Structures are given as structure tokens and as C-alpha cells.
Amino acid sequence: MIDLHFNFAFQLDLIQQTVRRWVISNLKPLSGDYIFTGLQGNREVVLKASPDIQALNQEARALKAFAGFGVVEVLAQEGGVLLLERVMPGGSLKSYFPVKDQEAVQIACEVIRKLHHAPLPARDEFPHIKNWLLLLDRVWNIPESYINKARALRDKLLATSAPEVLLHGDLHHENILSRGSDFAVIDPKGVIGERAYEVGAFIRNPIPQLLDDPDADNIIKTRIRDFASNLDLDANRIADWCFVQAVLAWAWALEDGLNTVYYKPLAELLYNLVL
Ligand SMILES: Nc1ncnc2c1ncn2[C@@H]1O[C@H](COP(=O)(O)OP(=O)(O)O)[C@@H](O)[C@H]1O
Ligand SMILES: [Mg+2]
């Protein structure tokens, strides 16, 4: 078991060391416990640390594999700490919900098209979505009708997969930031699978706000239609992936001991699309 207090102190020490070595000034908290803004010379930077060093290394690998295809620039990396270009002004697509939702979908399509042109890395550099989806075979406190449906759809989708690309793997609103007149992508997981998988994260977010919206069902249907036509994908495959990923996200939340209150209504909403 990880000792969180030890880990937090260790992490702060690591951050202080890298701040000194990379000569960063004006360090200020940006998000959570481990993400800061700062200045390197007169360049605006973001410092991202994480107690999960493996996940952060994987993020750095994914950012490098996507370099030149619309992601934020990696300036330096050292065990457990990443130095990134600060995206400016940096507002995320979350502020587009709900009024400018269709515009947000078009922007997401543009960044996805660019990301998916990155060359496919060697097999063992990134996990495959089928490995992530093995989690559905464990026993979870999730209604059986949902878990069974998710397993069956997963098997069907994987057996009939379109050609594979390197996927971002978590491309929701808060990972797409405005950069001048353009948008930059942050926080990729890096996972291999078919293109239709990618749009699921956007379609189910921002989860609390979407679920609160009396028109959620129509918003989701319109998003599926627009992603399908803009990216030349099959709308039914997108809907199937949305449901499977909602159940996967539920299992992840249970595994991590996170709040799962939104996952039942979300799965219910998406279940009706795949019946
Ligand atoms: N390079 C960056 N430039 C500007 N803002 C950033 C940058 N990296 C992260 N942020 C801000 O911090 C938030 C969390 O960062 P993110 O890397 O997505 O961390 P997490 O893994 O916690 O989701 C983002 O949604 C964004 O608002
Ligand atoms: Mg993020």
C-alpha cells in the first residue's frame, strides 16, 4: 500500500529539485496538488508531477508520439515530473457547454483528425484498448444487465475493428485548450485501437453538467451524429463504444475508490441507445 503522506512529501521534494535544476520562477498552483504554472526565463511553463510515476512517463511517451499533431510541447522530463509549454490563453472546451456544443464537437473533430495522423508506434510501446477492456471481466458492483451488455458489445466491437491508430484515450473537454486561434491537446493516455473509440470520452462529458441537462439524451444523439458525419465513422459503433466506455469508466472509479454517483444514470442514458 502507498503511504500517501510519505508520497506527498517525496513529491514536493522532487518538484523543488526540478524547479531549481530547470531554473523556474514564479511557481503557482494551477490544478490539483501537482500541477503548477511558472516561468522559465520569460517563457510561460507548466510543471506537472504525479505520484503515479508510471502514468506520467506514459503521458510523456504519448505526448512525444503525438508531437507535431496538435499536442502541447514537452520541454523537459525527469522521473515523475514533466515540464510543458503553457497553453495560452488555455480555456478548455468545457466552457462551450451547453450553448456552443455543436461548435465544440467540430473543434474536437479537427483535433482528433490531426492526432490520428500520428504514425502508429511499435506494438509494445503502448497498451491496446483490448487490455484496458479486460477489466470488464472482473466482478463489479455494477448491475448485471449493464456489465453483460458491455462485455458483449466489447467482444463484437473488437472482433470487427477498423484499422488501428494511436489514440489519445481520454479526449474530454478539459483536455482540449485554446491556444491563440487554434486548440492544443493535453493529457494523453496513449492507447492503440480503432478511431471510433476516441470520441466516447467527449460524448459523455462534462458528466455532471450533461446529466443535469433535461436535454441530455438529444445532446448525446446529436453529438454521435455529428462525430460520425464529420469523421466518416459509423454512428452505431460510436454509440456502442460510448456505452462500453461508460461501464469501463464506472469500473475504474470503483477500483480507485472514487465517487461513482454519476455512473448509473450515465450508463442508463447510454443503454437506451444500444438496445
Ligand atoms: N500545458 C498546459 N497549459 C495550460 N493549462 C494546462 C496545461 N496542462 C494542464 N493545464 C490545466 O490543468 C488542468 C489539468 O491538467 P491535466 O494535465 O489534464 O491533469 P489531470 O491528469 O489531472 O487531468 C487542465 O484541464 C488545464 O486546465
Ligand atoms: Mg486532464
Side-chain angles (χ1 to χ4, degrees):
M1 197 168 134
I2 301 172
D3 178 341
L4 279 178
H5 293 290
F6 167 77
N7 219 4
F8 190 63
F10 172 74
Q11 203 66 29
L12 285 181
D13 193 44
L14 203 72
I15 291 168
Q16 271 161 4
Q17 283 176 35
T18 47
V19 162
R20 249 178 269 128
R21 203 164 26 245
W22 292 337
V23 197
I24 296 164
S25 60
N26 222 20
L27 206 65
K28 291 185 186 139
L30 173 64
S31 169
D33 283 338
Y34 301 108
I35 304 180
F36 304 85
T37 58
L39 285 173
Q40 192 180 43
N42 47 20
R43 181 175 202 168
E44 301 267 4
V45 293
V46 164
L47 198 110
K48 181 172 180 179
S50 170
D52 189 343
I53 294 179
Q54 256 188 333
L56 203 77
N57 286 340
Q58 181 78 359
E59 179 178 336
R61 255 199 304 281
L63 284 170
K64 285 173 190 162
F66 281 125
F69 296 90
V71 294
V72 71
E73 190 186 347
V74 179
L75 303 173
Q77 182 208 352
E78 212 169 288
V81 190
L82 261 181
L83 188 68
L84 303 169
E85 153 206 1
R86 181 173 179 190
V87 180
M88 300 288 268
S92 86
L93 284 188
K94 196 174 169 188
S95 64
Y96 282 55
F97 185 82
V99 178
K100 297 196 285 177
D101 203 61
Q102 283 181 272
E103 199 182 318
V105 170
Q106 298 308 313
I107 292 164
C109 287
E110 275 165 45
V111 305
I112 287 172
R113 204 172 296 112
K114 218 190 267 180
L115 286 172
H116 291 179
H117 274 108
L120 188 65
R123 267 280 156 161
D124 55 354
E125 275 183 68
F126 294 97
H128 191 281
I129 51 171
K130 71 180 177 218
N131 302 117
W132 281 7
L133 291 159
L134 283 175
L135 203 72
L136 295 175
D137 294 327
R138 302 220 318 240
V139 177
W140 297 105
N141 185 15
I142 293 175
E144 208 154 303
S145 55
Y146 292 157
I147 201 97
N148 287 340
K149 187 77 184 175
R151 286 174 186 152
L153 286 174
R154 167 198 66 185
D155 294 345
K156 182 189 85 176
L157 289 164
L158 289 176
T160 55
S161 173
E164 293 168 345
V165 296
L166 179 63
L167 300 168
H168 178 287
D170 192 23
L171 195 64
H172 56 74
H173 300 61
E174 286 177 279
N175 287 336
I176 304 175
L177 310 181
S178 78
R179 178 167 57 185
S181 57
D182 200 12
F183 285 82
V185 171
I186 59 164
D187 200 15
K189 298 281 175 258
V191 64
I192 301 211
E194 68 164 326
R195 290 160 58 236
Y197 186 94
E198 192 82 293
V199 298
F202 189 98
I203 291 170
R204 69 172 176 277
N205 272 288
I207 295 181
Q209 291 84 349
L210 180 62
L211 290 176
D212 256 359
D213 197 302
D215 204 28
D217 190 51
N218 272 323
I219 293 172
I220 290 174
K221 285 182 186 150
T222 306
R223 285 174 171 181
I224 292 174
R225 185 200 66 200
D226 290 353
F227 273 118
S229 71
N230 191 317
L231 295 173
D232 200 15
L233 295 168
D234 182 284
N236 290 322
R237 283 189 89 78
I238 295 180
D240 289 352
W241 275 128
C242 283
F243 177 73
V244 172
Q245 290 173 31
V247 178
L248 180 65
W250 193 348
W252 270 329
L254 286 168
E255 189 180 40
D256 292 343
L258 302 175
N259 184 354
T260 58
V261 67
Y262 296 118
Y263 287 104
K264 192 158 192 287
L266 178 70
E268 207 167 271
L269 202 60
L270 295 169
Y271 189 69
N272 294 324
L273 293 176
V274 296
L275 282 178

